[in-house]
Every structure is written in structure tokens, then in C-alpha cells.
Amino acid sequence: MEQNFVERMDKSLSELKAGIISNLIAGNEDFKNIVEGMDPKDLADVASDDIDRKMIEAIGSQELKQLKLIDSALTRIKQGRYGLCIKCGKHIPEDRLEAIPYALMCIECKTAEERRNR
Ligand SMILES: [Zn+2]
């Protein structure tokens, strides 16, 4: 995976994450207090694992799920494994990552998983 592309995805993931968190802050007083208590350098530094413990009741599970995916993707960038499917290890096409920067699986594995969950 090209370094430029990964850096661009890293940036858009951080922005996406900060956006979700600031939306949650705007809509939820409890959440705001908790985030302020964490005193993050910037919103993208808020760890979704901490959110899990303290805020699961304050925020919707949909947002939490998305934040966790974003954190996983950011971790995989740090590990140098971004863009590789977590199931089969194949490269995830760049256009899929452009559309969903936090995609962790290739379309084949994702489809197979959704079929299993149904
Ligand atoms: Zn796969």
C-alpha cells in the first residue's frame, strides 16, 4: 500500500473520529463531561476503549461501533497492516477504502460475515 494513500486515510480516519465525538458532545451533556474529564490533546486521541467503559449508556451503540472500527483501522496503520483484510490477509481495494476508510475486511469476507450474521 502506498505511503501517501495510507497517510491520507490516516488523516480522514482522525477527522471522521473527531467529527463523531464532537457530534456526540454537542448532543449529550454526560458524554461532554466524560470527554472533558479525559482531557484529550485532541478529539481523535479519545480512546474508544475508554468510551466503552464509561460511556456505553451515554452514547448510541451505533456510534460506538463506528468509533471502534475507526480505532482498529488507526491501530492497523500504526502496525503497517492497513488495507489488508483481517480475515484472509488480501489487499482491500483502494476504492473500497476511499469509500469506507475503516473497512477492515475485503468485500468477499465482509459479505460472508454478513451472511453468517443474518
Ligand atoms: Zn478477506
Side-chain angles (χ1 to χ4, degrees):
M1 191 126 303
E2 248 181 88
Q3 193 55 33
N4 278 351
F5 179 78
V6 175
E7 276 167 20
R8 195 149 50 82
M9 292 299 106
D10 187 26
K11 190 157 172 287
S12 69
L13 283 163
S14 300
E15 283 169 5
L16 207 56
K17 184 176 173 183
I20 294 172
I21 291 174
S22 62
N23 269 343
L24 289 168
I25 288 175
N28 190 305
E29 193 67 22
D30 288 341
F31 185 83
K32 182 169 176 254
N33 290 335
I34 296 164
V35 170
E36 280 171 358
M38 286 178 179
D39 198 23
K41 278 197 300 292
D42 74 68
L43 291 178
D45 285 340
V46 174
S48 66
D49 287 343
D50 292 337
I51 293 174
D52 206 9
R53 274 203 308 280
K54 298 173 189 162
M55 308 181 205
I56 192 137
E57 286 172 21
I59 67 175
S61 57
Q62 196 58 41
E63 281 88 353
L64 187 63
K65 207 172 147 199
Q66 206 178 8
L67 286 173
K68 282 188 163 297
L69 285 171
I70 293 171
D71 267 0
S72 305
L74 288 168
T75 303
R76 292 183 64 77
I77 288 176
K78 288 197 192 84
Q79 295 169 337
R81 300 185 58 77
Y82 181 71
L84 299 175
C85 174
I86 57 170
K87 287 261 152 118
C88 69
K90 273 196 238 147
H91 279 284
I92 301 169
E94 289 191 5
D95 56 356
R96 173 162 166 77
L97 293 168
E98 294 266 12
I100 316 170
Y102 47 84
L104 299 175
M105 281 184 244
C106 68
I107 291 170
E108 287 80 11
C109 293
K110 182 76 188 159
T111 311
E113 193 190 67
E114 275 165 9
R115 216 175 289 136
R116 254 199 315 279
N117 289 343
R118 214 166 278 155

